[in-house]
Amino acid sequence: MAIPSGSGTEVLKRTQVDGNSDAWTNLITGVANHIYTVLSISANNKDGGNVETIYIRVGNVYLLSASLGGLETFVWNDKFVVSGAENLQMYNTAGDVDWYCSYIDQDWT
């Protein structure tokens, strides 16, 4: 993606996935000429009996793997950038996990 030189928009957004179970799912589906600055991601394990393993990746690069106990919440506040058509994806093992992501969407189209 080229360095933006014109005017664009910058909007604070959020996305959520309720009850993800054993599937890779997009938190952000990237679009050309956009820059996404991720502010925070949280995962809440609603299954009281099982420990879940959670993963976050951009493309084929894994950014995080962690264990999440029953009825626990994990909050990741490290800032990072997703650009263009890259997808921010999350995964959790077989349980019932809610995900929430807040980010800034800079649109240079």
Side-chain angles (χ1 to χ4, degrees):
M1 181 173 146
I3 296 173
S5 61
S7 62
T9 61
E10 185 173 274
V11 179
L12 184 60
K13 294 185 174 182
R14 60 134 181 116
T15 184
Q16 68 186 44
V17 176
D18 298 325
N20 192 62
S21 180
D22 195 26
W24 281 106
T25 305
N26 289 350
L27 282 172
I28 297 175
T29 301
V31 177
N33 298 314
H34 285 245
I35 299 169
Y36 307 96
T37 303
V38 177
L39 304 174
S40 179
I41 299 173
S42 65
N44 175 262
N45 182 0
K46 297 188 303 184
D47 186 348
N50 293 322
V51 173
E52 300 296 329
T53 303
I54 60 172
Y55 300 95
I56 298 172
R57 72 179 183 189
V58 176
N60 291 325
V61 177
Y62 286 75
L63 304 176
L64 173 82
S65 64
S67 293
L68 185 59
L71 302 177
E72 288 185 348
T73 300
F74 180 87
V75 178
W76 192 28
N77 286 321
D78 291 348
K79 310 319 180 254
F80 61 95
V81 172
V82 179
S83 63
E86 297 176 325
N87 294 328
L88 172 63
Q89 297 183 309
M90 55 77 186
Y91 174 87
N92 55 272
T93 51
D96 187 10
V97 176
D98 289 343
W99 292 82
Y100 188 92
C101 175
S102 61
Y103 62 99
I104 300 169
D105 180 0
Q106 295 175 300
D107 181 352
W108 300 98
T109 55

